[in-house]
Amino acid sequence: MQKSKERLKILEQSEIDDLYALPVYTYEDRKHYFALNHNEELIIKSMRTLASKVYFILQLGFFRTKYMFFNFTQDEVYDDIQHILKYTLLETKLLKNLQVSKPTRLSQQQVILNLYGFLACTQTVKNTLNEKAIFSAQVCSKPIYVFKKLHNYLESKNIVLPGYTTLQDIVGKALAFERKRLEGLIQKHITTE
């Protein structure tokens, strides 16, 4: 059995949670993040099932909070669902099952990205991040420096933050590349004496 490769530690767990953990809302937060404007109400009206409407509002609220999408279970967002049913959709029905199909979930995410002028983190974006990480690693070899440069770039371009492990891998490869580049320069230009 092969041992799994250790990933580069960049952030502390509390910092990872700040960036990537599912938002936890107060009543006031829910009123703010799950409120719908006119365009969003029109989108909701075009949806057929209660589950898809609730799921869309959840994704929308979470996106407004952290500008990213989350996987969650019905139990994890129970209080949010109750708020949406009561105050946003004015629904008296109980929601027995929050499950929506993957195509529905992805379609909703694209609608949200379009509403907010954001882009998904595609392979093309990841290639750009690789290039930026290599350049940043030439400036400073601290993983947090490279991570912050990538994070700032994504924010400035309205691109959804990829998963932490994706950024760990990009930063780790960039630092390894820079280390090999410097070793090569040293071997080439420093004599044995």
Side-chain angles (χ1 to χ4, degrees), residues 97-112:
N97 188 347
L98 182 63
Q99 288 183 346
V100 296
S101 67
K102 184 175 181 178
T104 297
R105 181 173 46 85
L106 296 177
S107 172
Q108 289 181 355
Q109 289 175 1
Q110 191 57 56
V111 168
I112 293 167

PDB file of all heavy atoms in Angstrom, residues 97-112:
ATOM      1  N   ASN A  97     -37.335  16.457   1.375  1.00  0.00           N
ATOM      2  CA  ASN A  97     -36.088  16.049   0.749  1.00  0.00           C
ATOM      3  C   ASN A  97     -35.496  17.219  -0.031  1.00  0.00           C
ATOM      4  O   ASN A  97     -36.106  17.718  -0.961  1.00  0.00           O
ATOM      5  CB  ASN A  97     -36.362  14.858  -0.186  1.00  0.00           C
ATOM      6  CG  ASN A  97     -35.098  14.249  -0.726  1.00  0.00           C
ATOM      7  OD1 ASN A  97     -34.024  14.821  -0.614  1.00  0.00           O
ATOM      8  ND2 ASN A  97     -35.239  13.092  -1.324  1.00  0.00           N
ATOM      9  N   LEU A  98     -34.297  17.624   0.337  1.00  0.00           N
ATOM     10  CA  LEU A  98     -33.633  18.760  -0.302  1.00  0.00           C
ATOM     11  C   LEU A  98     -32.844  18.358  -1.541  1.00  0.00           C
ATOM     12  O   LEU A  98     -32.335  19.209  -2.248  1.00  0.00           O
ATOM     13  CB  LEU A  98     -32.704  19.454   0.711  1.00  0.00           C
ATOM     14  CG  LEU A  98     -31.968  20.705   0.228  1.00  0.00           C
ATOM     15  CD1 LEU A  98     -32.956  21.804  -0.124  1.00  0.00           C
ATOM     16  CD2 LEU A  98     -30.994  21.184   1.266  1.00  0.00           C
ATOM     17  N   GLN A  99     -32.768  17.096  -1.834  1.00  0.00           N
ATOM     18  CA  GLN A  99     -31.926  16.644  -2.944  1.00  0.00           C
ATOM     19  C   GLN A  99     -32.356  17.228  -4.281  1.00  0.00           C
ATOM     20  O   GLN A  99     -33.542  17.260  -4.602  1.00  0.00           O
ATOM     21  CB  GLN A  99     -31.940  15.127  -3.042  1.00  0.00           C
ATOM     22  CG  GLN A  99     -31.169  14.449  -1.936  1.00  0.00           C
ATOM     23  CD  GLN A  99     -31.154  12.945  -2.135  1.00  0.00           C
ATOM     24  OE1 GLN A  99     -31.899  12.391  -2.917  1.00  0.00           O
ATOM     25  NE2 GLN A  99     -30.276  12.285  -1.399  1.00  0.00           N
ATOM     26  N   VAL A 100     -31.348  17.704  -5.025  1.00  0.00           N
ATOM     27  CA  VAL A 100     -31.550  18.115  -6.410  1.00  0.00           C
ATOM     28  C   VAL A 100     -30.494  17.397  -7.239  1.00  0.00           C
ATOM     29  O   VAL A 100     -29.444  16.991  -6.727  1.00  0.00           O
ATOM     30  CB  VAL A 100     -31.445  19.655  -6.597  1.00  0.00           C
ATOM     31  CG1 VAL A 100     -32.538  20.370  -5.837  1.00  0.00           C
ATOM     32  CG2 VAL A 100     -30.081  20.171  -6.208  1.00  0.00           C
ATOM     33  N   SER A 101     -30.753  17.256  -8.511  1.00  0.00           N
ATOM     34  CA  SER A 101     -29.805  16.551  -9.373  1.00  0.00           C
ATOM     35  C   SER A 101     -28.544  17.401  -9.575  1.00  0.00           C
ATOM     36  O   SER A 101     -28.566  18.626  -9.419  1.00  0.00           O
ATOM     37  CB  SER A 101     -30.445  16.249 -10.729  1.00  0.00           C
ATOM     38  OG  SER A 101     -30.677  17.459 -11.435  1.00  0.00           O
ATOM     39  N   LYS A 102     -27.465  16.729  -9.942  1.00  0.00           N
ATOM     40  CA  LYS A 102     -26.219  17.450 -10.200  1.00  0.00           C
ATOM     41  C   LYS A 102     -26.389  18.473 -11.321  1.00  0.00           C
ATOM     42  O   LYS A 102     -25.925  19.610 -11.191  1.00  0.00           O
ATOM     43  CB  LYS A 102     -25.096  16.462 -10.524  1.00  0.00           C
ATOM     44  CG  LYS A 102     -23.752  17.134 -10.709  1.00  0.00           C
ATOM     45  CD  LYS A 102     -22.643  16.139 -10.911  1.00  0.00           C
ATOM     46  CE  LYS A 102     -21.317  16.871 -11.062  1.00  0.00           C
ATOM     47  NZ  LYS A 102     -20.196  15.932 -11.215  1.00  0.00           N
ATOM     48  N   PRO A 103     -27.050  18.129 -12.449  1.00  0.00           N
ATOM     49  CA  PRO A 103     -27.256  19.155 -13.484  1.00  0.00           C
ATOM     50  C   PRO A 103     -28.029  20.382 -12.972  1.00  0.00           C
ATOM     51  O   PRO A 103     -27.704  21.513 -13.338  1.00  0.00           O
ATOM     52  CB  PRO A 103     -28.047  18.424 -14.569  1.00  0.00           C
ATOM     53  CG  PRO A 103     -27.689  16.981 -14.394  1.00  0.00           C
ATOM     54  CD  PRO A 103     -27.507  16.814 -12.909  1.00  0.00           C
ATOM     55  N   THR A 104     -29.022  20.156 -12.117  1.00  0.00           N
ATOM     56  CA  THR A 104     -29.775  21.281 -11.550  1.00  0.00           C
ATOM     57  C   THR A 104     -28.866  22.140 -10.679  1.00  0.00           C
ATOM     58  O   THR A 104     -28.859  23.364 -10.778  1.00  0.00           O
ATOM     59  CB  THR A 104     -30.974  20.766 -10.720  1.00  0.00           C
ATOM     60  OG1 THR A 104     -31.861  20.071 -11.591  1.00  0.00           O
ATOM     61  CG2 THR A 104     -31.714  21.896 -10.021  1.00  0.00           C
ATOM     62  N   ARG A 105     -28.087  21.487  -9.831  1.00  0.00           N
ATOM     63  CA  ARG A 105     -27.168  22.211  -8.939  1.00  0.00           C
ATOM     64  C   ARG A 105     -26.173  23.042  -9.748  1.00  0.00           C
ATOM     65  O   ARG A 105     -25.964  24.229  -9.477  1.00  0.00           O
ATOM     66  CB  ARG A 105     -26.441  21.216  -8.032  1.00  0.00           C
ATOM     67  CG  ARG A 105     -25.485  21.848  -7.047  1.00  0.00           C
ATOM     68  CD  ARG A 105     -24.917  20.824  -6.069  1.00  0.00           C
ATOM     69  NE  ARG A 105     -24.464  19.591  -6.657  1.00  0.00           N
ATOM     70  CZ  ARG A 105     -23.243  19.396  -7.183  1.00  0.00           C
ATOM     71  NH1 ARG A 105     -22.367  20.385  -7.187  1.00  0.00           N
ATOM     72  NH2 ARG A 105     -22.893  18.233  -7.679  1.00  0.00           N
ATOM     73  N   LEU A 106     -25.575  22.435 -10.769  1.00  0.00           N
ATOM     74  CA  LEU A 106     -24.590  23.151 -11.587  1.00  0.00           C
ATOM     75  C   LEU A 106     -25.232  24.275 -12.396  1.00  0.00           C
ATOM     76  O   LEU A 106     -24.648  25.353 -12.556  1.00  0.00           O
ATOM     77  CB  LEU A 106     -23.858  22.170 -12.507  1.00  0.00           C
ATOM     78  CG  LEU A 106     -23.004  21.115 -11.791  1.00  0.00           C
ATOM     79  CD1 LEU A 106     -22.389  20.149 -12.793  1.00  0.00           C
ATOM     80  CD2 LEU A 106     -21.932  21.764 -10.929  1.00  0.00           C
ATOM     81  N   SER A 107     -26.432  24.033 -12.881  1.00  0.00           N
ATOM     82  CA  SER A 107     -27.164  25.066 -13.623  1.00  0.00           C
ATOM     83  C   SER A 107     -27.466  26.255 -12.712  1.00  0.00           C
ATOM     84  O   SER A 107     -27.304  27.421 -13.112  1.00  0.00           O
ATOM     85  CB  SER A 107     -28.457  24.479 -14.184  1.00  0.00           C
ATOM     86  OG  SER A 107     -29.253  25.477 -14.743  1.00  0.00           O
ATOM     87  N   GLN A 108     -27.895  25.974 -11.493  1.00  0.00           N
ATOM     88  CA  GLN A 108     -28.157  27.047 -10.526  1.00  0.00           C
ATOM     89  C   GLN A 108     -26.884  27.833 -10.229  1.00  0.00           C
ATOM     90  O   GLN A 108     -26.910  29.067 -10.131  1.00  0.00           O
ATOM     91  CB  GLN A 108     -28.730  26.473  -9.235  1.00  0.00           C
ATOM     92  CG  GLN A 108     -30.148  25.970  -9.359  1.00  0.00           C
ATOM     93  CD  GLN A 108     -30.688  25.433  -8.042  1.00  0.00           C
ATOM     94  OE1 GLN A 108     -29.981  25.347  -7.041  1.00  0.00           O
ATOM     95  NE2 GLN A 108     -31.963  25.066  -8.040  1.00  0.00           N
ATOM     96  N   GLN A 109     -25.773  27.129 -10.088  1.00  0.00           N
ATOM     97  CA  GLN A 109     -24.508  27.807  -9.813  1.00  0.00           C
ATOM     98  C   GLN A 109     -24.137  28.745 -10.955  1.00  0.00           C
ATOM     99  O   GLN A 109     -23.680  29.865 -10.718  1.00  0.00           O
ATOM    100  CB  GLN A 109     -23.400  26.786  -9.558  1.00  0.00           C
ATOM    101  CG  GLN A 109     -23.561  26.068  -8.232  1.00  0.00           C
ATOM    102  CD  GLN A 109     -22.546  24.963  -8.014  1.00  0.00           C
ATOM    103  OE1 GLN A 109     -21.671  24.715  -8.851  1.00  0.00           O
ATOM    104  NE2 GLN A 109     -22.645  24.284  -6.887  1.00  0.00           N
ATOM    105  N   GLN A 110     -24.368  28.301 -12.189  1.00  0.00           N
ATOM    106  CA  GLN A 110     -24.055  29.166 -13.336  1.00  0.00           C
ATOM    107  C   GLN A 110     -24.946  30.405 -13.347  1.00  0.00           C
ATOM    108  O   GLN A 110     -24.481  31.510 -13.642  1.00  0.00           O
ATOM    109  CB  GLN A 110     -24.194  28.387 -14.648  1.00  0.00           C
ATOM    110  CG  GLN A 110     -23.646  29.131 -15.846  1.00  0.00           C
ATOM    111  CD  GLN A 110     -22.180  29.518 -15.676  1.00  0.00           C
ATOM    112  OE1 GLN A 110     -21.324  28.689 -15.428  1.00  0.00           O
ATOM    113  NE2 GLN A 110     -21.880  30.807 -15.787  1.00  0.00           N
ATOM    114  N   VAL A 111     -26.212  30.239 -12.989  1.00  0.00           N
ATOM    115  CA  VAL A 111     -27.124  31.391 -12.898  1.00  0.00           C
ATOM    116  C   VAL A 111     -26.600  32.385 -11.859  1.00  0.00           C
ATOM    117  O   VAL A 111     -26.568  33.597 -12.103  1.00  0.00           O
ATOM    118  CB  VAL A 111     -28.562  30.932 -12.550  1.00  0.00           C
ATOM    119  CG1 VAL A 111     -29.452  32.109 -12.160  1.00  0.00           C
ATOM    120  CG2 VAL A 111     -29.173  30.166 -13.717  1.00  0.00           C
ATOM    121  N   ILE A 112     -26.171  31.879 -10.718  1.00  0.00           N
ATOM    122  CA  ILE A 112     -25.651  32.742  -9.648  1.00  0.00           C
ATOM    123  C   ILE A 112     -24.372  33.446 -10.105  1.00  0.00           C
ATOM    124  O   ILE A 112     -24.192  34.650  -9.874  1.00  0.00           O
ATOM    125  CB  ILE A 112     -25.434  31.933  -8.353  1.00  0.00           C
ATOM    126  CG1 ILE A 112     -26.796  31.484  -7.797  1.00  0.00           C
ATOM    127  CG2 ILE A 112     -24.662  32.745  -7.312  1.00  0.00           C
ATOM    128  CD1 ILE A 112     -26.718  30.422  -6.705  1.00  0.00           C
TER     129      ILE A 112
END
